[in-house]
Amino acid sequence: ATDVYYVDVGFAEPPLVPLPFTYHQEHVTPEGMRSKFSIDCKGNVILEWKVNNGLEWEPRLRWKIEDALSGKEGLSMTDMAPHLDVVAQEDSIFSKKLIVCLLSRDRKRTVAGSSYKITGAPRFGGPDTDSQEIPVDKRDCLDLAEIQKILLRDFSIPLEETSDLDLEKSNSKDAVDIWASQ
């Protein structure tokens, strides 16, 4: 057993539990996400997950091996500061598109610009249901009032917090398609 774990607090499709940081060993989370760590030919750590109804491994994340572990304690918040700065840069997708995500074992709810997407239930087929289709409900081109209602109802973001929300930047043709990588 390992005493080093990977905790993904990212924006996309993170596992809801820490993953043991061991290479080439499949880990299945309670919600059914199947993941494993490997190392590529350049020495980078690759986090892969099972896709296409559990038939194929696909890379999800990649980082330098020296960034993976900073002693047994892992990375500190000070170590993470440069990575957080990248997210805030003008050319980052996070400065170009409204992205709000709420994740549970059963569902993933995402507002991206003027689109609302619910993935699940279940989010994953689970270890015994590789061939199960994952339901997706996606609504596009919602107006500001509809997005504000969703942000209040599903994310508990008060209307006063979204009073000056402008979806024009999120909906511009230059904004990156958030669904393209999911």
Side-chain angles (χ1 to χ4, degrees), residues 101-112:
C101 183
L102 179 63
L103 198 57
S104 70
R105 283 192 177 172
D106 296 329
R107 287 183 180 77
K108 176 183 171 190
R109 298 174 188 273
T110 306
V111 171

Side-chain angles (χ1 to χ4, degrees), residues 2 9 23 28 44 59 69 73 91 99-100 103 138 148 150 152 157 167:
T2 181
V9 294
Y23 294 108
V28 181
N44 295 311
L69 298 171
E73 297 80 37
D91 61 346
I99 303 171
V100 182
L103 198 57
K138 184 178 174 210
Q148 288 175 313
I150 291 168
L152 177 61
I157 299 175
L167 294 178

Side-chain angles (χ1 to χ4, degrees), residues 8-87:
D8 186 344
V9 294
F11 297 103
E13 191 75 56
L16 294 178
V17 297
L19 298 175
F21 195 66
T22 55
Y23 294 108
H24 310 293
Q25 181 179 352
E26 183 175 323
H27 304 287
V28 181
T29 63
E31 72 272 16
M33 177 184 267
R34 298 167 70 180
S35 304
K36 71 177 179 179
F37 295 96
S38 60
I39 300 179
D40 69 11
C41 61
K42 295 180 180 179
N44 295 311
V45 175
I46 307 291
L47 175 59
E48 300 175 82
W49 64 341
K50 277 272 177 111
V51 295
N52 297 331
N53 294 322
L55 300 176
E56 300 175 55
W57 287 104
E58 182 176 285
R60 257 188 81 233
L61 299 170
R62 178 180 59 223
W63 60 91
K64 296 175 188 172
I65 190 118
E66 58 267 20
D67 291 339
L69 298 171
S70 173
K72 274 193 146 178
E73 297 80 37
L75 297 174
S76 70
M77 288 307 289
T78 303
D79 295 329
M80 292 303 298
H83 303 288
L84 297 173
D85 290 341
V86 168
V87 171

